[in-house]
Amino acid sequence: ELKQEITRTLTADNPQAPQNIVRFSFKEREYKLVDYLDQTAIHFSLNGNLVPKDSDEGRRLSIKSSTEAEKAPVETPAETSEQAEIKDEEHTGDTEAAGEGEGEEEGAGEEGAEAAEAAEAAEAAEAEEAPPPKAPEKKLPNQFNFIERASTTPFNPLREKGCQTEPIPSLNFSDTVRQWDIYDAYMEELQRMEKAKEKEKAKPQVVKKEEEKRGARKLSYVEVQHVEPITRVAKAAKIAERMVNLNTFDDIAQDFKYFEDASDEFRAQNGTLLPLWNFQYEKTKKLAVTAISWNPKYKDLFGVGYGSYDFMKQGHGMVLLYTLKNPSFPEYIYNSPSGVMCLDFNSEHPHLIAVGFYDGNVAIYNLRKETSQPSYKSSAESGKHSGPVWQVKWQKDDMDNNSNFFSVSSDGRIVSWTLVKNELVHMDVIKLSVEGTMQGPEGLQLQTLGCGTSFDFHKKIEYLFLVGTEEGKIYKCSKNYSSQFLDVFEAHHMAVDTVSWNPFHLKVFISCSSDWTVKIWDHTIKTPMFVYDLSCAVGDVAWSPYSSTVFSAVTTDGKAHVFDLNINKHQALCTQVVVDGKKNKTTHIQFNPVFPIIIVGDERGLVTSLKLSPNLRKMPKEKKGQEVKKGPEVEIAKLEKLLSLVREPQGKA
């Protein structure tokens, strides 16, 4: 995209020219929008009286001035000729006088003749040397060879135009309002509101869902009356806010779209994580990030749950929804009296969010409703958990098209919650029981229940799911059997924080624990295929959506680790510090389903987005003359090849 040539055409249009000039058309007898606009933008204007010398008018003026100059010196040669004639006459008179006196005085005459000849020679020399006086040349008025002239411009006469419209018809009326009139009006309004609520309750759930799919949200007359003025400009204000943020964080947006770490070429296999936006809300600085989930429809929108993992510091919680388009402020804010432990978006209805709380309740928030309260919430009567709800997962709609989700809690119950009409209906799917019994008072034998901490449903086999417990075991369960487990894995020595199926391979799942390890399993084999010790408690692990062999994990020392089994089966390709491990801890990590970025949450309410360098998302190289195969089958074969290397020695043994 950087090398792409974009042609930009410069036009002579004035961007400041008005586009909505209306003038009255006498031909059509109505006001019409002016089609042609004057695009001239005058930056400097000066009225002058200069004419170019090369123009016709300049030549005429130059010829006129030259003729005037020729006429002026004609008188001087006439004067000189007259003076010469007078001198000649004087000269002849002198010579005649000298001739008459020759006879009388010969000696004196010879001397006079010599003097006269000398005088004539001097006068002739003076006449030859004195040139005729020439007229002085007229200097040009300026250095640009322009000739001065005067000019006038046509004067546009001003015209006044006016129009007259008919006045709007009006009517005066009056009435007297008494107290009982006001009371009756209020009572009618209350009755109308009650009827509207009854109609909403009377609608079956199926009809409501059909309306939601069509997008036909019918607002009652009462809602229209009480619309606040701020909601009318809310959409425009949100767009303006995003534009301002895009300008503010333009350098980060450029890195997100175009930057690729060129130094990866010299690192062989290792990669890096480029920090992008930070998402933080003022009221969540004292809360920990307890859950992160991307919206399945809007790839830039993600939900963040806030609460506390400390038993002694329990308080309120929050659910915030951020978008990559506006990192400065959340799109949606929901407060809760108890800490939020988990959340999940519904894949079929992306506006529904299931949330689990520390006090054992579950709730559903509807993004389409403007209220900050949950649309559905469990209670002690409707079968809430007796311990913190550690994870919730949406499932496909049941046979009656009712939405349903599952939850796991420390009380050992896996519960299915179904939205039937306007209430949550619960059903216990399975109870986690620990082998053996515990002796109670008076010799009673009490069965101890396991504490579920995480679970995940199979991507293809709907009834199959895995449950991780505080004891470190992973149970493979089925929705069809509520009394027994399909299999038990002795996975970890401490609580299983996360368990997740591979999005491509049907047999593989991954687990992480506070015992510092991340393990990759084949659910048909009791022993792990790969084990990684990260030297610190692992808070979360996640598979990548683009490769079956890439996964990432976060540890409590503030680091993020990215692995690719296809490149290196023994070590992480990237281990990078995200937050200061002495004062803060990372808690959760998630891959974006489309863009090459991950988001990491910590204990101080901060969510950091990071971009994966090219080495961390390597695709198979193209060979000459061969097309690179892509798709789920290729990813499954890639992971299966790695697993076969681990399985073969066991089979031979």
Side-chain angles (χ1 to χ4, degrees):
E1 293 182 11
L2 285 172
K3 295 179 181 177
Q4 182 181 358
E5 293 186 0
I6 299 174
T7 305
R8 293 188 177 181
T9 306
L10 294 177
T11 62
D13 293 344
N14 182 11
Q16 304 297 331
Q19 303 293 328
N20 55 354
I21 296 178
V22 178
R23 292 197 176 118
F24 187 78
S25 172
F26 290 94
K27 182 180 179 181
E28 300 182 13
R29 308 296 295 173
E30 62 179 3
Y31 284 96
K32 299 203 72 178
L33 197 67
V34 177
D35 295 333
Y36 55 90
L37 296 173
D38 185 12
Q39 302 291 344
T40 306
I42 299 173
H43 299 287
F44 178 75
S45 175
L46 178 66
N47 295 326
N49 53 0
L50 303 179
V51 177
K53 190 174 182 181
D54 297 335
S55 64
D56 294 338
E57 190 174 355
R59 291 193 191 96
R60 286 198 301 271
L61 291 175
S62 61
I63 292 168
K64 185 178 179 182
S65 62
S66 62
T67 52
E68 289 177 357
E70 287 175 0
K71 289 177 182 178
V74 171
E75 298 174 356
T76 53
E79 292 175 0
T80 53
S81 61
E82 290 176 359
Q83 290 175 1
E85 289 175 357
I86 294 168
K87 288 180 180 178
D88 289 339
E89 289 175 357
E90 291 176 354
H91 174 66
T92 52
D94 292 341
T95 51
E96 288 176 358
E100 290 175 358
E102 281 181 354
E104 298 176 357
E105 297 177 3
E106 293 178 1
E110 291 176 1
E111 293 177 359
E114 291 176 357
E117 289 177 1
E120 287 178 2
E123 288 178 1
E126 287 178 1
E128 289 177 359
E129 289 177 0
K134 295 182 179 179
E137 293 184 0
K138 191 175 182 180
K139 291 184 179 180
L140 295 172
N142 54 48
Q143 58 181 345
F144 298 106
N145 293 337
F146 283 102
I147 297 171
E148 294 184 356
R149 74 175 180 90
S151 62
T152 59
T153 56
F155 177 72
N156 293 324
L158 297 175
R159 293 187 179 91
E160 293 185 358
K161 294 181 181 180
C163 62
Q164 186 174 0
T165 59
E166 294 181 2
I168 300 172
S170 59
L171 181 66
N172 296 327
F173 70 95
S174 60
D175 195 6
T176 304
V177 179
R178 302 175 183 83
Q179 285 186 347
W180 49 86
D181 294 331
I182 298 173
Y183 177 78
D184 292 341
Y186 271 101
M187 293 304 293
E188 287 179 6
E189 185 73 16
L190 289 172
Q191 288 176 4
R192 189 181 298 155
M193 292 174 67
E194 288 176 0
K195 286 180 180 179
K197 288 181 180 179
E198 288 176 0
K199 285 181 181 179
E200 286 185 0
K201 289 181 180 179
K203 279 185 181 179
Q205 191 74 10
V206 180
V207 176
K208 280 189 177 181
K209 286 187 177 178
E210 287 179 359
E211 285 185 358
E212 287 178 358
K213 286 179 181 177
R214 293 174 189 166
R217 290 186 64 208
K218 294 182 180 179
L219 298 174
S220 64
Y221 180 70
V222 181
E223 288 179 345
V224 176
Q225 272 189 333
H226 298 288
V227 171
E228 295 181 5
I230 191 65
T231 57
R232 298 174 185 172
V233 296
K235 187 175 181 181
K238 185 176 287 188
I239 294 171
E241 184 185 15
R242 288 187 178 183
M243 291 171 67
V244 171
N245 276 285
L246 188 63
N247 292 334
T248 306
F249 300 102
D250 181 61
D251 52 345
I252 299 178
Q254 296 292 332
D255 289 345
F256 163 69
K257 195 167 185 181
Y258 299 113
F259 180 76
E260 301 291 352
D261 195 350
S263 59
D264 271 19
E265 297 178 6
F266 309 100
R267 288 199 186 96
Q269 296 179 348
N270 295 336
T272 57
L273 297 172
L274 174 70
L276 296 176
W277 301 281
N278 291 331
F279 302 86
Q280 188 160 32
Y281 185 49
E282 190 67 28
K283 296 181 181 179
T284 60
K285 287 186 176 180
K286 294 183 180 179
L287 299 174
V289 176
T290 54
I292 298 176
S293 179
W294 288 97
N295 190 287
K297 182 178 180 181
Y298 302 100
K299 308 303 181 184
D300 61 309
L301 186 70
F302 62 94
V304 185
Y306 293 90
S308 176
Y309 287 116
D310 192 343
F311 175 74
M312 302 299 292
K313 295 181 180 179
Q314 287 303 317
H316 74 285
M318 295 186 78
V319 175
L320 302 183
L321 272 76
Y322 286 102
T323 176
L324 300 179
K325 298 174 183 176
N326 183 8
S328 62
F329 199 80
E331 295 291 303
Y332 297 90
I333 301 172
Y334 298 103
N335 290 288
S336 64
S338 179
V340 176
M341 292 289 106
C342 53
L343 61 86
D344 189 36
F345 282 98
N346 190 325
S347 58
E348 296 179 3
H349 310 287
H351 58 278
L352 296 179
I353 310 176
V355 181
F357 300 101
Y358 192 86
D359 60 1
N361 280 313
V362 294
I364 295 175
Y365 289 90
N366 190 344
L367 301 183
R368 291 182 177 175
K369 293 187 177 180
E370 296 181 358
T371 177
S372 61
Q373 297 301 317
S375 301
Y376 306 93
K377 190 173 183 180
S378 64
S379 62
E381 298 174 355
S382 60
K384 62 166 270 192
H385 290 281
S386 58
V389 180
W390 294 113
Q391 202 162 359
V392 290
K393 287 279 184 183
W394 284 99
Q395 290 297 290
K396 291 183 179 179
D397 293 356
D398 59 13
M399 300 296 289
D400 298 327
N401 288 330
N402 293 324
S403 300
N404 67 97
F405 66 94
F406 285 70
S407 64
V408 63
S409 170
S410 296
D411 61 2
R413 295 163 58 210
I414 310 292
V415 180
S416 169
W417 303 88
T418 308
L419 278 69
V420 180
K421 293 186 178 180
N422 290 323
E423 60 181 354
L424 276 175
V425 178
H426 82 285
M427 183 182 71
D428 288 1
V429 177
I430 199 168
K431 287 186 178 181
L432 304 175
S433 59
V434 180
E435 293 180 1
T437 56
M438 183 178 67
Q439 190 168 358
E442 299 180 1
L444 292 174
Q445 296 295 321
L446 301 176
Q447 186 178 8
T448 56
L449 295 174
C451 298
T453 55
S454 60
F455 74 134
D456 192 26
F457 285 86
H458 199 277
K459 302 297 185 285
K460 298 290 184 182
I461 309 171
E462 293 182 3
Y463 62 83
L464 190 64
F465 64 95
L466 299 167
V467 182
T469 62
E470 281 187 5
E471 294 81 28
K473 295 180 180 180
I474 296 176
Y475 296 99
K476 185 166 71 173
C477 309
S478 171
K479 296 179 187 177
N480 302 329
Y481 301 100
S482 60
S483 59
Q484 59 183 357
F485 309 121
L486 300 180
D487 209 344
V488 180
F489 299 90
E490 298 289 342
H492 297 276
H493 302 293
M494 296 179 72
V496 180
D497 293 323
T498 305
V499 60
S500 176
W501 288 99
N502 189 286
F504 297 97
H505 202 289
L506 301 179
K507 292 184 178 181
V508 178
F509 67 91
I510 195 170
S511 65
C512 70
S513 171
S514 302
D515 64 357
W516 300 7
T517 60
V518 174
K519 297 183 180 182
I520 297 175
W521 304 77
D522 184 334
H523 78 87
T524 59
I525 302 173
K526 286 286 190 86
T527 56
M529 300 288 102
F530 297 96
V531 179
Y532 299 97
D533 190 337
L534 302 184
S535 304
C536 198
V538 185
D540 194 10
V541 69
W543 290 105
S544 75
Y546 57 85
S547 175
S548 62
T549 57
V550 176
F551 66 92
S552 62
V554 287
T555 50
T556 54
D557 58 355
K559 294 180 180 178
H561 309 261
V562 182
F563 291 81
D564 190 346
L565 303 178
N566 196 38
I567 296 175
N568 192 334
K569 297 187 289 293
H570 308 289
Q571 292 180 343
L573 298 185
C574 174
T575 299
Q576 190 165 316
V577 176
V578 180
V579 297
D580 186 6
K582 294 180 180 179
K583 300 179 181 179
N584 203 350
K585 297 177 182 178
T586 48
T587 55
H588 285 276
I589 188 169
Q590 281 292 329
F591 280 89
N592 186 283
V594 175
F595 306 117
I597 63 172
I598 57 174
I599 49 175
V600 179
D602 60 32
E603 278 197 338
R604 294 199 171 182
L606 177 68
V607 178
T608 307
S609 58
L610 305 135
K611 183 176 182 180
L612 301 166
S613 67
N615 275 1
L616 301 180
R617 43 192 167 92
K618 270 188 177 178
M619 303 305 290
K621 293 183 179 179
E622 296 184 4
K623 295 181 181 179
K624 291 183 179 179
Q626 294 182 1
E627 291 185 1
V628 177
K629 295 181 180 179
K630 297 180 181 179
E633 295 81 7
V634 179
E635 297 297 331
I636 293 170
K638 187 167 67 173
L639 185 54
E640 184 64 31
K641 183 179 178 181
L642 293 170
L643 294 175
S644 62
L645 298 175
V646 183
R647 289 179 189 143
E648 281 176 5
Q650 292 181 353
K652 291 177 182 178

